[in-house]
Amino acid sequence: MMNRILSAFLLLALALPCTLTAQQAKGKGKAKAPAKPKRPDAVGPAIGANIATPITSIKTLPDFKVELLYSVPGGEQGSWVNLCSDDKGRVYASDQYGGLYRFPTPVAGQPLKPGDVQKLPTDIRGVNGMLFAFGALYVGVNDYEKKIPSGLYRITDSNSDDIPDKVEMLREFDASSDHGVHAILKTPDGKGLYLITGNNAVLKEGPMAGTPASSPVAKLWGDDHLLPRMPDGRGHNRHVMAPGGIIYRLDPEGKNMEIFASGFRNIFDGGVNRDGELFTYDADMEYDFNTSWYRPTRINHVVSGGEYGWRNGAGKYPEFYFDNLPATLNIGPGSPTGTTFGYGAKFPAKYQEAFYALDWSWGKIYAVHLTPSGSTYTATKEEFVTGGPLPVSDAIIGNDGAMYFTIGGRRVQSGLYRVTYTGKESTTLSDKSERSDPSDKAVTTRRSLEAFHGKQDPKAVATAWPHLSHSDRYIRAAARTALEHQPLAEWEAKALAETNPTAQLEALLALTRATGICPTHRPADHVVNTAMRDKLWASLLKHDFAKLTNDQRMAYVRLTEIVLHRFGNPDTATVTAIIAKLDPAYPADNFELNWLLTETLAYLQAPNAAAKGMALIAAAESQEPQIEYARSLRFLTAGWTPELRKQQLEFFLKAANYKGGSSFSIFVDFIRKDSLATFTPEENTQFAELIAKKPEAKSAMENVGAMFAGRTPTMWTLDELSAAAKTGMTGRDFDNGRKMFGAAACFACHRYGNAGGMTGPDLTGAGGRYSPHDLLDQIINPSKVINEQFAPIVVTKNDGTMLTGVVVNLSGDGVTINTDLSDPNQRVNVDRKEVKSIEPSPVSPMPPMLLNMLKKDEVLDLLAYVLSSGNKDHAMFKK
């Protein structure tokens, strides 16, 4: 459930319950310290016990107020991770390692007293998800200590004494880790349940047991990696293959359990909006920081039959793979926990309609604002509540219109909080849909196609086919999924004969999945369907690759990979024809297509792959594409010259100084070892000295700033560059701007598109947030306004020693601090008992003089590149 610890978790001050307004949080007012209580139970645990994070350490938006209602006595009531309310408005809370508790909705303006909290004598424990529905309490259990089986349970009141006491297991799972059985939600029709599970939750009877053919997800999944996979270097989840985390749909009796969507890492919670659409907040894998395959935590719009692309190790699908669906919003590093829509809150309409996503490790509650776009949504995020320490675990909207949230989990100090609105805007309850027109044509189209998921229907093929070429990616996916549930005889010939490239690529993907089995999932007696393989290649090779759009080209190459993987290599003549089709377009003008082309052509042992791939490595502005290309070349044996082999070995010496997550250096070593295994005996002899050479330690700045050697710095002022930007933001050079983004070390900390680090804000959408002047101000004066999500802290120990960084892990009293944001794996361990104080750092980790080595035109090109969101056709680049 939670992979990292909030950066400010060291602050466990003994504070009493009080309230905080946004004005006080911003320093415009100061909360008056309350008098010491006369009775310990008047405010929570006895004085001297741990107290939950004081609200003086919590910030919220203007006109909202946060109250600390209850500090959970850990010794008696554990650490709370879930909340839900019943039909009488009472609130249930669960201890991650213990039992269930119940209390009335707290009275406005008053804290919750220990006597209000009732421990239920219910034989259940380890609850990680709760829902009161159909007159019962449904719970998802992950019993870490395996005292009871993990799974989905229903709890009812058997004797009408108002105590839920009858415990029934509806579904048993093999799950006892943080990646197990999680939330339960009502389906949009109000007649069934969604069950959310992480990628370590497996139905006890087997991974496919209990999932009927009516599942929207056809059982055609595969890991579908063309090259041998690189599992996580530290061993995490090496055994877990597709389909990864699953969202199930089932009836209230726990029967008819269908797979609704799959391909997640570790969702903890979700929510259904007024449009009847499901949203979740999925986890990242922090070990992958600064690799090309790293995926940030993400808000997903979850649709029927959806594949969301989690695979273990280096195998996670990037969003441009057309065989998975993208994130609605990429959040960044974090540890997703609870989510809820704001429906019923006495908040302004904007915040009633927001989707709230809780990040445990960074201590954030994000308000995610959804905007309809075609049959899906776009989204923006806003920091609604932030604090330190604030390991937020769950949130609900109470029957009084307030938001209630907990902190807790991993046996940390737990607490219950309330958020209310105190401003003057109307809080009249809204019942409007996110869509101004609920009968939106695109949504209607997608749902009409989803009606064919999980069943055979003679109308399905004719209905779905025109939508295989739809401009809406979600509609195309819904149409393809509909095909996958129909008899092959009805659509095989149609797929092979289709002439529209987009439609045929979708249809052939369905045909490949339906007739070819991924090697990692094949039974021992499986025989490859070579006749179908030959038909697929005959259809694919008819296309003129040069005439395809960039999206069609990416789909074409990705489909090529899947056909090769599922059916094996065709005859030599066909391999030659595939190479002849792709090689003229390689290299392409974008990283995404080059990713696919390098991998595919290297797999096929194309004669030009070595030279072109190494040229791409040399030209890449950041380490992510370099490592991706090197990963693809690691099994290539053809086309190497002595000079290219030298370049390859020199790259590995350079890459040894690149920085990333905990598995980063192991991944680089995997790539190097696989590459060395392709050397001939003669090459091993020729390059023996270079192979044995140890890398010289260099800083991140030394790795990226070589082009500025010999330059005299220019002490640019904001006024100078802002004046230049007023008249100089046309006719800019896109390629030079991208080059400057790498040369100025921006990629070291900031993600941009599919490359870059994650220790600073993602700049992909900067054009929607900044003017040229504001972006320049952020770069030149980085400490003026520090992004709270990445704000460092200053830790002062009892002996006077000071550390600056962010806290990334906790075990008992041991705290791990990252003191170098350019190196996510650089860590120092501190004993919390030795800590005297912790405060936010007033100094940004971003260096203030990044632009001083650039010439004026280079600065303007850099600005244009960032503000364009990577769009070469932006007006700023028109000549």
Side-chain angles (χ1 to χ4, degrees):
M1 176 182 69
M2 311 166 210
N3 302 323
R4 294 176 292 280
I5 300 296
L6 175 68
S7 60
F9 186 41
L10 299 171
L11 256 183
L12 290 174
L14 296 180
L16 302 176
C18 51
T19 63
L20 175 71
T21 66
Q23 184 182 33
Q24 292 166 343
K26 293 177 179 293
K28 296 178 181 178
K30 187 174 182 180
K32 183 179 179 181
K36 291 184 178 181
K38 295 179 181 179
R39 296 184 297 108
D41 65 357
V43 294
I47 298 302
N50 280 346
I51 305 296
T53 304
I55 48 79
T56 51
S57 298
I58 301 173
K59 294 182 181 180
T60 185
L61 296 176
D63 297 323
F64 284 88
K65 181 177 71 175
V66 178
E67 301 168 84
L68 170 59
L69 300 178
Y70 187 60
S71 292
V72 180
E76 295 81 42
Q77 296 174 0
S79 190
W80 292 358
V81 294
N82 272 133
L83 294 174
C84 82
S85 58
D86 65 15
D87 53 357
K88 297 180 180 179
R90 296 170 299 189
V91 180
Y92 293 74
S94 65
D95 170 18
Q96 186 180 18
Y97 300 94
L100 288 178
Y101 300 86
R102 187 172 71 182
F103 51 88
T105 300
V107 177
Q110 295 184 21
L112 189 69
K113 299 180 179 63
D116 296 331
V117 179
Q118 173 191 17
K119 183 173 183 180
L120 296 175
T122 307
D123 189 17
I124 200 75
R125 53 176 285 113
V127 171
N128 275 233
M130 288 192 290
L131 172 71
F132 192 89
F134 309 112
L137 181 65
Y138 290 85
V139 297
V141 169
N142 278 330
D143 189 7
Y144 298 76
E145 298 169 354
K146 298 189 176 182
K147 293 181 178 178
I148 65 172
S150 294
L152 173 65
Y153 290 78
R154 178 173 59 185
I155 309 173
T156 53
D157 178 4
S158 66
N159 56 9
S160 302
D161 64 353
D162 201 28
I163 300 294
D165 62 329
K166 181 182 177 183
V167 178
E168 303 171 83
M169 172 177 279
L170 302 182
R171 289 283 173 167
E172 183 175 358
F173 281 79
D174 181 4
S176 58
S177 74
D178 285 341
H179 294 227
V181 182
H182 291 151
I184 306 121
L185 309 170
K186 258 191 177 182
T187 53
D189 61 8
K191 298 179 180 179
L193 302 171
Y194 287 130
L195 175 63
I196 288 174
T197 65
N199 57 7
N200 286 140
V202 179
L203 280 171
K204 193 70 172 180
E205 304 93 334
M208 297 185 188
T211 55
S214 60
S215 288
V217 175
K219 298 171 185 177
L220 306 176
W221 53 67
D223 286 83
D224 287 329
H225 302 311
L226 183 57
L227 296 176
R229 70 190 184 101
M230 292 200 303
D232 178 70
R234 293 167 59 89
H236 180 77
N237 269 338
R238 284 190 169 203
H239 66 290
V240 180
M241 311 300 282
I246 292 174
I247 296 178
Y248 295 94
R249 184 173 62 190
L250 64 165
D251 63 33
E253 300 299 318
K255 299 176 181 178
N256 301 313
M257 192 168 182
E258 303 170 336
I259 298 178
F260 181 72
S262 64
F264 302 100
R265 183 172 186 263
N266 189 30
I267 307 166
F268 189 69
D269 205 350
V272 177
N273 74 356
R274 287 195 184 97
D275 294 338
E277 304 289 351
L278 175 62
F279 290 84
T280 60
Y281 183 23
D282 199 7
D284 66 345
M285 176 57 172
E286 72 276 16
Y287 290 1
D288 297 338
F289 278 169
N290 295 9
T291 66
S292 53
W293 51 87
Y294 172 74
R295 302 199 315 179
T297 66
R298 57 210 315 244
I299 302 296
N300 287 122
H301 175 201
V302 182
V303 295
S304 172
E307 161 64 70
Y308 291 85
W310 178 85
R311 300 294 186 269
N312 68 25
K316 285 167 282 295
Y317 290 7
E319 294 188 343
F320 60 82
Y321 275 16
F322 85 131
D323 50 320
N324 79 144
L325 290 170
T328 302
L329 177 68
N330 285 310
I331 296 286
S335 296
T337 48
T339 64
T340 186
F341 276 97
Y343 304 145
K346 292 181 180 178
F347 294 170
K350 174 181 178 180
Y351 295 98
Q352 292 183 46
E353 293 148 17
F355 180 58
Y356 294 92
L358 280 63
D359 180 349
W360 189 80
S361 61
W362 290 88
K364 310 285 184 187
I365 300 179
Y366 294 105
V368 177
H369 304 293
L370 299 164
T371 302
S373 177
S375 74
T376 182
Y377 302 78
T378 59
T380 59
K381 74 177 189 293
E382 181 180 17
E383 292 182 0
F384 182 68
V385 173
T386 65
L390 204 69
V392 286
S393 54
D394 202 7
I396 61 171
I397 305 300
N399 65 348
D400 58 355
M403 173 186 283
Y404 292 87
F405 72 86
T406 49
I407 63 172
R410 295 268 177 95
R411 295 192 169 94
V412 304
Q413 174 60 46
S414 194
L416 176 71
Y417 297 80
R418 176 168 51 206
V419 183
T420 52
Y421 179 68
T422 61
K424 297 180 180 179
E425 287 189 52
S426 172
T427 58
T428 300
L429 293 183
S430 170
D431 61 358
K432 83 179 194 71
S433 167
E434 270 68 19
R435 296 182 180 277
S436 58
D437 180 5
S439 62
D440 183 280
K441 184 177 179 180
V443 177
T444 302
T445 298
R446 172 170 58 79
R447 289 178 176 173
S448 69
L449 295 167
E450 291 171 350
F452 297 115
H453 295 179
K455 66 179 183 180
Q456 294 184 359
D457 189 305
K459 298 177 182 178
V461 174
T463 303
W465 207 268
H467 301 296
L468 291 171
S469 57
H470 201 285
S471 60
D472 187 310
R473 184 170 176 178
Y474 283 70
I475 290 175
R476 293 199 303 273
R480 173 176 53 79
T481 303
L483 284 188
E484 292 176 346
H485 291 279
Q486 309 312 312
L488 274 174
E490 295 182 11
W491 58 277
E492 175 186 327
K494 194 173 178 66
L496 294 168
E498 176 62 52
T499 57
N500 179 288
T502 299
Q504 184 173 56
L505 291 168
E506 292 285 354
L508 293 183
L509 173 60
L511 190 56
T512 301
R513 284 164 45 86
T515 59
I517 301 177
C518 178
T520 53
H521 296 270
R522 285 176 185 166
D525 59 351
H526 174 73
V527 177
V528 173
N529 186 343
T530 56
M532 177 57 67
R533 179 187 66 193
D534 294 342
K535 292 177 184 178
L536 288 165
W537 286 122
S539 293
L540 278 170
L541 290 171
K542 289 178 182 178
H543 288 282
D544 185 343
F545 194 77
K547 292 182 178 180
L548 301 180
T549 66
N550 190 65
D551 285 346
Q552 290 170 341
R553 289 183 180 192
M554 288 193 293
Y556 185 101
V557 185
R558 175 59 183 154
L559 180 55
T560 295
E561 292 186 336
I562 300 171
V563 175
L564 288 168
H565 180 65
R566 292 201 175 206
F567 290 94
N569 285 1
D571 58 68
T572 303
T574 303
V575 169
T576 302
I578 299 169
I579 294 172
K581 180 78 67 175
L582 302 181
D583 186 66
Y586 181 55
D589 63 358
N590 62 88
F591 170 43
E592 293 79 14
L593 184 51
N594 280 327
W595 173 322
L596 292 161
L597 287 169
T598 305
E599 183 172 55
T600 305
L601 290 168
Y603 169 84
L604 294 172
Q605 300 295 321
N608 296 325
K612 291 183 176 183
M614 290 309 302
L616 283 172
I617 289 176
E621 295 85 5
S622 69
Q623 68 185 47
E624 290 81 12
Q626 292 178 22
I627 290 168
E628 179 57 36
Y629 299 141
R631 181 194 69 84
S632 291
L633 296 174
R634 74 190 198 276
F635 294 112
L636 178 65
T637 58
W640 293 103
T641 64
E643 179 58 31
L644 291 173
R645 282 301 199 191
K646 179 183 177 185
Q647 291 174 21
Q648 187 181 34
L649 292 170
E650 289 174 342
F651 164 75
F652 287 119
L653 291 173
K654 180 181 179 181
N657 282 291
Y658 290 167
K659 309 300 181 184
S662 296
S663 293
F664 182 86
S665 62
I666 306 174
F667 278 127
V668 173
D669 192 51
F670 283 168
I671 297 169
R672 181 179 183 273
K673 287 178 178 176
D674 285 341
S675 299
L676 287 175
T678 67
F679 277 47
T680 65
E682 293 77 16
E683 287 172 330
N684 280 319
T685 300
Q686 182 179 2
F687 296 105
E689 183 177 345
L690 196 52
I691 291 171
K693 186 177 180 179
K694 301 298 181 184
E696 298 177 10
K698 293 183 179 180
S699 69
M701 293 301 294
E702 286 179 294
N703 274 329
V704 299
M707 71 164 289
F708 300 132
R711 284 196 185 184
T712 301
T714 302
M715 305 306 291
W716 294 114
T717 67
L718 176 60
D719 289 342
E720 286 176 307
L721 292 178
S722 183
K726 285 181 179 179
T727 59
M729 295 305 292
T730 58
R732 302 315 326 163
D733 186 324
F734 178 89
D735 291 331
N736 192 53
R738 181 171 57 187
K739 181 179 179 181
M740 291 303 109
F741 193 87
C746 304
F747 276 120
C749 297
H750 298 281
R751 194 167 183 86
Y752 192 82
N754 289 298
M758 291 304 303
T759 52
D762 189 325
L763 295 180
T764 307
R769 303 194 300 270
Y770 297 112
S771 66
H773 173 86
D774 291 339
L775 182 56
L776 285 166
D777 195 10
Q778 289 280 316
I779 298 171
I780 294 172
N781 303 304
S783 296
K784 185 176 179 180
V785 178
I786 303 175
N787 185 303
E788 291 183 356
Q789 185 177 358
F790 302 95
I793 56 170
V794 177
V795 177
T796 303
K797 298 171 65 175
N798 293 329
D799 63 4
T801 304
M802 299 178 70
L803 297 169
T804 300
V806 295
V807 176
V808 293
N809 210 344
L810 175 72
S811 178
D813 283 333
V815 178
T816 305
I817 303 174
N818 171 223
T819 57
D820 179 1
L821 291 184
S822 69
D823 181 0
N825 200 35
Q826 196 286 323
R827 300 177 176 196
V828 175
N829 292 317
V830 179
D831 189 327
R832 282 190 297 139
K833 297 189 295 294
E834 298 176 359
V835 174
K836 179 180 180 181
S837 67
I838 175 173
E839 298 177 353
S841 172
V843 180
S844 170
M846 179 174 169
M849 296 185 289
L850 285 176
L851 300 180
N852 288 7
M853 298 305 294
L854 275 64
K855 299 174 183 177
K856 184 182 293 185
D857 278 337
E858 292 172 337
V859 172
L860 297 180
D861 288 341
L862 170 61
L863 282 179
Y865 175 69
V866 174
L867 296 175
S868 73
S869 296
N871 178 13
K872 281 187 171 184
D873 297 324
H874 195 283
M876 289 183 289
F877 304 115
K878 300 295 183 183
K879 300 296 185 181

